[in-house]
Amino acid sequence: MIQGGFPEQIWRSWPRRAAFLLLAWCTLATIIRPQPEPPPAGPEEAALRFDAVALDQSDPARRRLGALIFLEGWRISSDSPRFGGISALHVERGEAIALSDAGTLFRFALPRAAGAGRVLLVPLPDGPGPATRKSNRDSESMWLEGPWLWVGFEKHNMVWRYRRADLRPMAAARPEPMRRWSANAGPEAMARLADGRFLLLGEGLNDGRGESDAVLFDGDPAEPATPASSLRFRRVPGYRVTDAALLPDGRLLILSRRFAWFEGLSAVLSVADVRGLTGGATIEGREIARLQPPLTLDNMEGLSVTVENGRTIVWLASDDNFFPLQRTLLLKFALVE
């Protein structure tokens, strides 16, 4: 049985075109992918396996990627069928907290070396509709701060706030500006700006406009009475938003993803100045790095920013779609704009 993705030696030996076709197959499989098992009634602990990966398997010494320096990377696998589908990421104090698009939080210590680890899987106890339907737990974005966890749900286009200590739901809203969003273009990215306001970005559709819907909240987006304004985000052409994180200087780092025939998957990081943002504005980003074959990547959906010894650290995680031929990756970079 293959756990956590395709064996690394096969990835090394296949011709590049075959790898592109494999990625295409994996991406199409997301449409008909098997559903993850229903979440257990309570938390579950499971084993993890960390295998080191290079940025460029054909050139393991390569480190530079645009404005990023590659520090280390891991392919993560687990003995739990509920581990995977990472759609949002938060890193703090040596721990990764990831959210799956099946409504489950993962908590695990960041790896120091290849080998074994443990993960705590905690399903969200409540959400928009019964947990027996995955569409009711399609959690695509989150923001962790202090005692609170905010979660953005696609399909329903809702924002819920949970108490971090026990995941008890405390507030929920279906903001008016998000009610017209497509069920497949919901809140993919969430960030709290330096002035305390919240910004949510929709994934966007391949409708030729090249823009994604966005909403700026004056306060808590899970409170129905919070004033909100509509905005637009001008996407990198051909790419769709998957996550965002705030940089230490208050700018927004945005992760976007693309799938193209015979090219496979790729991802782009861009920076937008959102300081002093106002309703009705169009957010413009500046590309700083691009991940594309033959570099190590998968369906990149999770993004987090930390600071280590004065350096800004960028973390990327991939969504394996609960599909055995895709991988859960965790990549660590230093930002050197």
Side-chain angles (χ1 to χ4, degrees):
M1 177 182 291
I2 298 172
Q3 283 193 347
F6 221 48
E8 205 67 39
Q9 65 269 23
I10 295 180
W11 281 95
R12 295 193 191 109
S13 61
W14 273 31
R16 186 179 300 178
R17 179 57 60 84
F20 288 166
L21 292 174
L22 178 62
L23 285 169
W25 176 31
C26 292
T27 303
L28 286 175
T30 66
I31 302 173
I32 55 173
R33 64 181 175 177
Q35 298 300 308
E37 293 188 14
E44 171 195 10
E45 191 172 315
L48 287 182
R49 173 74 190 180
F50 298 99
D51 294 296
V53 296
L55 174 64
D56 186 342
Q57 197 63 49
S58 64
D59 182 10
R62 179 176 178 181
R63 295 288 172 181
R64 191 64 186 248
L65 181 68
L68 302 177
I69 299 292
F70 178 73
L71 300 178
E72 58 186 348
W74 310 94
R75 176 165 55 93
I76 310 175
S77 53
S78 175
D79 61 357
S80 172
R82 297 185 179 94
F83 182 81
I86 291 176
S87 59
L89 178 68
H90 178 81
V91 176
E92 65 176 18
R93 295 191 291 273
E95 181 182 56
I97 303 172
L99 179 66
S100 83
D101 59 9
T104 301
L105 276 177
F106 309 131
R107 297 183 62 174
F108 58 90
L110 295 172
R112 297 180 179 272
R118 304 293 293 177
V119 60
L120 179 65
L121 302 93
V122 185
L124 297 175
D126 199 3
T132 51
R133 293 178 61 90
K134 181 186 177 299
S135 61
N136 293 332
R137 292 296 183 274
D138 192 358
S139 44
E140 295 288 345
S141 56
M142 73 171 179
W143 187 260
L144 271 165
E145 187 172 331
W148 306 116
L149 163 68
W150 287 267
V151 174
F153 289 95
E154 199 172 52
K155 304 295 190 292
H156 292 266
N157 292 327
M158 294 189 70
V159 181
W160 284 55
R161 176 166 53 86
Y162 299 86
R163 191 164 60 191
R164 185 171 177 175
D166 56 7
L167 294 184
R168 178 182 174 184
M170 304 301 292
R174 188 170 180 251
E176 194 280 330
M178 293 167 50
R179 295 177 187 178
R180 297 182 296 275
W181 291 10
S182 165
N184 292 318
E188 283 279 337
M190 182 188 312
R192 192 172 193 178
L193 305 184
D195 60 12
R197 296 179 298 168
F198 276 81
L199 178 65
L200 270 70
L201 301 178
E203 180 179 2
L205 297 171
N206 293 327
D207 55 7
R209 292 187 302 170
E211 294 181 337
S212 292
D213 291 308
V215 180
L216 182 65
F217 294 87
D218 288 354
D220 187 345
E223 293 289 348
T226 300
S229 304
S230 295
L231 303 89
R232 309 291 295 172
F233 169 66
R234 184 161 293 138
R235 305 195 305 265
V236 178
Y239 286 79
R240 298 171 71 173
V241 176
T242 57
D243 208 353
L246 205 65
L247 292 171
D249 63 5
R251 293 177 301 158
L252 191 68
L253 186 62
I254 302 158
L255 174 64
S256 304
R257 172 206 57 210
R258 180 179 74 168
F259 166 74
W261 288 104
F262 301 111
E263 294 181 14
L265 289 160
S266 61
V268 163
L269 281 168
S270 55
V271 172
D273 192 347
V274 293
R275 294 167 292 190
L277 191 64
T278 58
T282 296
I283 302 169
E284 304 260 3
R286 174 177 59 86
E287 182 179 332
I288 63 167
R290 184 175 296 225
L291 268 170
Q292 56 191 10
L295 301 183
T296 297
L297 80 156
D298 208 287
N299 179 31
M300 311 309 292
E301 290 214 14
L303 171 66
S304 185
V305 171
T306 60
V307 176
E308 293 182 6
N309 301 318
R311 291 195 305 175
T312 299
I313 302 298
V314 175
W315 302 84
L316 299 178
S318 67
D319 174 0
D320 69 352
N321 290 305
F322 298 101
F323 192 67
L325 296 185
Q326 291 185 260
R327 300 173 292 176
T328 297
L329 297 171
L330 180 65
L331 307 179
K332 181 181 181 182
F333 299 87
L335 179 64
V336 289
E337 281 188 288

